[in-house]
Amino acid sequence: MNNLSALNWLKGNGTFKSHPIVSGHLTRMVGLTLEAVGCKVKVGDRCWVAQSNGQIEAEVVGFDNEKIFLMPIETVQGLEPGAKVTPITGSDHIPVGDCLLGRVIDGTGKPLDDKGDIYSEHSINLDGDTINPMHRAPIRESMDVGIRAINALLTVGRGQRLGLFAGSGVGKSMLLGMMTRFTKAHVCVVALVGERGREVQEFIQDILGEDGLKRAVVVASPADESPIKRMRAATLATAVAEHFRDQGKDVLLLMDSLTRFGQAQREIALSIGEPPATKGYPPSVFAKIPKLVERTGNGPPGGGSITAFYTVLTEGDDLQDPIADSARAILDGHVVLSRRIAEEGQYPAIDIEASISRVMPQVVLPAILKSAQNFKHLYSLYQQNKDLISVGAYSAGSNPELDLAVRLFPIMKAFLAQGLDESISLQESVEGLQMINNEGLAFKNPQAQAAKP
């Protein structure tokens, strides 16, 4: 008797019980949800569902007594009442390794780039192992993402998880592409979840570029695919990033978008009868997001890391959207892109006042942190008095700090702007910040600065 048979014998209280594959049949189809009876399966298992032109793969997403609910992964065509449902044996493993670099795959691991099949000696399960929080290395090193405003004012830590909050058309994808090309991470994993299908090709060719793709893995699942497949794309991208982290590499994971992941889970939950709770979102949505995000971050000390950026689509630029509010609470910081700033022609349109990196104090020197705080203070002071300054209602000399903000604002605005093909290192970003800080000190105390050798 092998170990598995012995385990089944013990579970049967001394009576040997085998577990053969038990097929069932469909009884109902409502929307995208299939209902079947007769199958011995668990939530998360996969099944083959027979249809007139072959068979499709579906995943078990729930049950009600003897009735199970399945969600098709592919498009349903020619499905009939009573169709045979057969559980798929074995776990769902995806080949991983350096063979994935430069490739574009879908949510099931199949290639989309017409470069042939993917073969590897290594494979992974989509559901990664949870890391004991006491075994994670603390965030103590900075990560260069090549964006001056983020490097200097919102310094990213190696292993940090940040949210990129923005409405539609404000430049999220462009910023992700820049970070993919400019970052110093060993590997980039890009997940395009639930976005427009035309954006996949455009992102790869126009934004990511040939050089950026060489050390990147792109997982794409457009909006027209099933919610299960969209969720799998996010899970698969995270699992691929985990694999490279376990190899001791620093990984940059860029997911566009976390909102579409939550909406896919909402579609599944509502279709199987879970009641909506917060603005139409069932409770399971707010359980899935932390489970996905917590898989990233640092591994054990001395190992690799996953630094993750998740874009969060704020409907109508509402930062209090349920997904945005939940993501802001679980992530280690947030970068807010402003439509107002974008309309002014500034790129990237980062709203420095509304953005924060929670680990910045742990990864930069106190002097740099103080310079960043001074920058934000003066920038915010100018914005608060912008209308008075514009109409000439403010008299120079009445507020020394505001005088300094007025003098430095053109320099600060130029500092925040950056060309799409311009890469600015972490060191260069910090040096630029220090120059602005020194300019401010010279304005406040010109005699002391003049006395310096």
Side-chain angles (χ1 to χ4, degrees):
M1 184 183 297
N2 59 31
N3 292 337
L4 180 60
S5 299
L7 181 61
N8 291 334
W9 185 83
L10 290 172
K11 288 182 177 179
N13 295 323
T15 303
F16 182 84
K17 292 184 179 181
S18 61
H19 293 281
I21 298 175
V22 179
S23 298
H25 62 275
L26 288 183
T27 59
R28 190 183 180 199
M29 179 178 179
V30 180
L32 293 177
T33 308
L34 309 179
E35 297 181 7
V37 294
C39 294
K40 298 296 183 182
V41 290
K42 305 182 297 295
V43 173
D45 285 352
R46 297 167 298 130
C47 298
W48 290 118
V49 181
Q51 57 181 13
S52 59
N53 59 345
Q55 58 185 7
I56 60 170
E57 187 179 346
E59 183 173 316
V60 180
V61 294
F63 61 87
D64 182 7
N65 292 325
E66 298 299 320
K67 180 168 56 179
I68 63 170
F69 303 115
L70 302 108
M71 186 71 67
I73 295 175
E74 303 294 344
T75 304
V76 175
Q77 293 179 344
L79 203 60
E80 300 175 350
K84 186 177 181 181
V85 179
T86 306
I88 299 176
T89 59
S91 57
D92 190 11
H93 281 76
I94 305 294
V96 292
D98 291 343
C99 58
L100 284 178
L101 296 177
R103 301 300 302 268
V104 183
I105 58 178
D106 67 6
T108 61
K110 297 177 182 177
L112 295 173
D113 51 13
D114 299 325
K115 294 183 180 179
D117 295 333
I118 299 173
Y119 300 99
S120 176
E121 297 179 357
H122 305 285
S123 63
I124 53 171
N125 195 303
L126 291 181
D127 298 321
D129 296 328
T130 302
I131 299 179
N132 186 326
M134 296 300 295
H135 296 167
R136 286 184 183 270
I139 300 175
R140 293 293 182 268
E141 299 177 17
S142 58
M143 167 73 76
D144 189 349
V145 295
I147 310 298
R148 179 166 49 203
I150 297 178
N151 278 341
L153 303 173
L154 306 166
T155 309
V156 178
R158 177 178 173 269
Q160 186 178 1
R161 292 84 53 92
L162 288 100
L164 198 59
F165 292 72
S168 57
V170 186
K172 299 186 303 299
S173 298
M174 297 294 287
L175 189 57
L176 291 181
M178 289 175 67
M179 286 191 285
T180 306
R181 298 195 308 271
F182 302 154
T183 183
K184 302 303 180 183
H186 301 127
V187 177
C188 290
V189 180
V190 182
L192 304 176
V193 181
E195 298 300 317
R196 291 179 288 271
R198 69 167 181 82
E199 290 186 335
V200 176
Q201 183 82 330
E202 291 178 1
F203 181 88
I204 294 170
Q205 290 187 351
D206 302 335
I207 301 177
L208 188 57
E210 185 177 349
D211 292 337
L213 185 60
K214 287 180 181 179
R215 60 188 177 112
V217 181
V218 179
V219 185
S221 182
D224 61 336
E225 294 189 334
S226 69
I228 278 290
K229 201 167 185 179
R230 279 177 269 148
M231 291 192 64
R232 278 192 169 200
T235 306
L236 173 57
T238 305
V240 171
E242 287 174 323
H243 167 77
F244 286 111
R245 177 185 64 190
D246 294 342
Q247 305 303 310
K249 296 181 178 180
D250 292 331
V251 183
L252 180 66
L253 172 63
L254 306 174
M255 187 171 296
D256 186 12
S257 70
L258 190 64
T259 302
R260 303 302 187 197
F261 171 81
Q263 290 175 345
Q265 173 59 23
R266 178 176 65 178
E267 291 179 40
I268 296 171
L270 293 177
S271 66
I272 62 176
E274 185 178 349
T278 307
K279 293 187 178 180
Y281 286 95
S284 61
V285 173
F286 305 105
K288 289 284 187 180
I289 291 176
K291 186 177 180 181
L292 179 73
V293 170
E294 282 297 323
R295 290 172 59 180
T296 60
N298 282 336
S305 66
I306 302 176
T307 305
F309 278 82
Y310 299 91
T311 68
V312 180
L313 183 62
T314 52
E315 303 287 351
D317 298 325
D318 179 16
L319 292 177
Q320 305 308 317
D321 175 85
I323 296 292
D325 195 48
S326 175
R328 192 164 49 243
I330 194 67
L331 295 172
D332 302 321
H334 49 273
V335 179
V336 179
L337 300 185
S338 167
R339 189 175 303 278
R340 173 186 57 81
I341 296 176
E343 290 171 349
E344 293 176 356
Q346 179 178 316
Y347 185 84
I350 298 175
D351 186 348
I352 290 298
E353 297 175 89
S355 305
I356 190 171
S357 172
R358 295 177 180 171
V359 305
M360 185 175 178
Q362 283 78 49
V363 298
V364 300
L365 297 174
I368 299 174
L369 180 63
K370 185 176 181 180
S371 295
Q373 291 172 338
N374 290 338
F375 184 105
K376 286 186 175 183
H377 171 69
L378 293 175
Y379 187 87
S380 178
L381 183 62
Y382 181 91
Q383 294 293 350
Q384 293 168 11
N385 295 273
K386 184 177 181 179
D387 291 340
L388 292 176
I389 299 169
S390 299
V391 299
Y394 172 72
S395 299
S398 56
N399 185 336
E401 274 201 329
L402 186 52
D403 290 342
L404 177 59
V406 172
R407 177 182 177 87
L408 294 181
F409 183 75
I411 304 175
M412 292 189 291
K413 189 173 182 179
F415 181 84
L416 297 175
Q418 184 172 336
L420 297 177
D421 297 322
E422 185 182 6
S423 174
I424 301 175
S425 69
L426 179 62
Q427 182 177 353
E428 292 173 325
S429 303
V430 172
E431 289 175 353
L433 177 64
Q434 295 288 52
M435 287 178 61
I436 295 175
N437 188 60
N438 292 337
E439 182 79 14
L441 293 175
F443 179 79
K444 288 196 292 187
N445 194 354
Q447 294 181 348
Q449 291 295 316
K452 286 186 177 182

